[in-house]
Amino acid sequence: MNGNSGIINNGGSMKISKTAVGDGATVNVPAARKKKAEKENARHADVGVITILAEEARAVHGVLGLERVRSGGLPFFEGTVNVRDVAVRVAAIRALAQGQRSTMAAFENLRKHYNPAVIVLAGIGGGLHKDVSVGDVVVTGRVLYYDLRKETPDGTRHRGDMKEAPAVIGHLINSFFTDYGEPAKLEATDAMGAVHAFRALTGPIGSGEAVIADPKSEITRYLETVNDKILAVDMEAGGLMQAFHEQGEAQAALGWVVVRGISDGADTDKNDDHHGIAARNAATALHTLLPYLAIGGS
């Protein structure tokens, strides 16, 4: 068979599609399909946002003006947000479920599909400190994961894990509060168009798997003992900080931030009455914070 070229089939069968054979062969791809593929490959965000509850997702999408897209079969929301003459490309995803594990998965999905420089966890949390009220927002890069513990006959021995975002994030948060005051005084517009003022503060938060509805709970006592400046608690920030800590070097995020609107006092009065306003305030604080987080150089 010397000198043959092309394709030879000796009694077999095969199917060839979307293929060209021979010198100078080309395949013409429909323009619409080519444009879609190029758009998929070009997706990028300066800031990625993770939400957990429906109220949180709606608030972020509405305040930031994000639109639904699909990437790799996952539902994302994305858009360019202009704040103080800075254009910030944002991509958001709602985690599959509450808790640390789904938050870690959401972190990886944002990193894989958008490669953001900074990933933000935005939504609601419970107030723990006496200086924090319902409607306030806590902006932080410091989280104490409290669920590491040893159960003994003499009681629970906590082995809390405190992590901080990289120093560059701490400087950016400090710059935000330098410009807006500490606490920062901001304004949010609700779904009815009414404007209300709220405060944004910074300080560490506690994170674990428990829903805390008892101000005298063992967890609350531990948090107040280990750090009397912990402002709030949630169920996801520990997953965010751990996902960042364990990420590989490829497409590595540069930092993380937690933005929590206070919806209750982590006490017996805990309910869902203030979820909406807390989520809206958190989204508004995030909107104001965005120019400080645009560090990816996109």
Side-chain angles (χ1 to χ4, degrees):
M1 296 184 178
N2 291 338
N4 290 335
S5 63
I7 299 173
I8 298 176
N9 185 347
N10 186 17
S13 64
M14 57 183 162
K15 179 181 179 180
I16 301 175
S17 62
K18 301 178 182 177
T19 304
V21 178
D23 296 336
T26 61
V27 176
N28 294 321
V29 179
R33 184 185 302 167
K34 183 178 180 181
K35 185 176 181 181
K36 180 180 179 181
E38 291 174 346
K39 186 176 181 181
E40 288 280 349
N41 294 332
R43 283 208 166 105
H44 175 77
D46 302 301
V47 176
V49 182
I50 300 171
T51 58
I52 309 300
L53 304 178
E55 297 99 323
E56 299 170 348
R58 285 195 298 268
V60 166
H61 303 162
V63 171
L64 302 188
L66 307 183
E67 297 183 353
R68 186 191 305 270
V69 297
R70 295 190 73 83
S71 180
L74 294 172
F76 290 93
F77 282 74
E78 64 178 46
T80 300
V81 185
N82 292 283
V83 186
R84 297 177 67 178
D85 297 324
V86 178
V88 184
R89 188 69 182 166
V90 178
I93 188 171
R94 181 183 172 189
L96 184 62
Q98 289 180 291
Q100 317 290 345
R101 292 172 296 176
S102 282
T103 301
M104 295 182 74
F107 180 99
E108 282 303 307
N109 284 328
L110 280 170
R111 199 163 69 92
K112 174 182 177 182
H113 291 275
Y114 287 91
N115 190 26
V118 180
I119 296 182
V120 181
L121 176 65
I124 67 173
L128 194 69
H129 198 277
K130 61 180 178 61
D131 293 339
V132 174
S133 303
V134 171
D136 287 344
V137 174
V138 176
V139 179
T140 188
R142 292 178 287 166
V143 174
L144 173 64
Y145 180 70
Y146 62 73
D147 257 345
L148 295 174
R149 62 189 184 272
K150 180 179 182 180
E151 298 291 343
T152 75
D154 298 324
T156 301
R157 296 180 182 177
H158 284 276
R159 298 170 176 175
D161 180 16
M162 172 70 87
K163 285 188 173 66
E164 294 192 25
V168 63
I169 300 298
H171 286 303
L172 296 175
I173 292 174
N174 286 346
S175 294
F176 170 81
F177 283 101
T178 298
D179 291 345
Y180 285 90
E182 190 173 348
K185 296 180 180 179
L186 306 176
E187 291 185 342
T189 304
D190 63 24
M192 303 300 293
V195 178
H196 64 269
F198 67 93
R199 304 185 307 161
L201 307 90
T202 188
I205 69 169
S207 185
E209 299 289 355
V211 176
I212 302 175
D214 178 6
K216 298 180 180 179
S217 75
E218 191 273 334
I219 294 172
T220 299
R221 293 197 304 271
Y222 164 72
L223 292 174
E224 291 174 341
T225 299
V226 73
N227 190 333
D228 63 357
K229 293 187 179 297
I230 289 179
L231 299 180
V233 289
D234 80 353
M235 296 173 59
E236 290 84 24
L240 176 72
M241 71 177 193
Q242 194 64 29
F244 176 84
H245 181 67
E246 294 188 17
Q247 67 179 331
E249 292 184 3
Q251 295 191 189
L254 302 180
W256 54 269
V257 179
V258 179
V259 179
R260 286 306 197 195
I262 303 304
S263 62
D264 58 73
D267 53 23
T268 53
D269 293 328
K270 180 179 177 65
N271 56 50
D272 297 347
D273 291 352
H274 301 291
H275 278 194
I277 190 170
R280 192 82 177 181
N281 288 358
T284 301
L286 171 59
H287 181 275
T288 310
L289 182 66
L290 280 178
Y292 299 85
L293 303 182
I295 61 176
S298 63

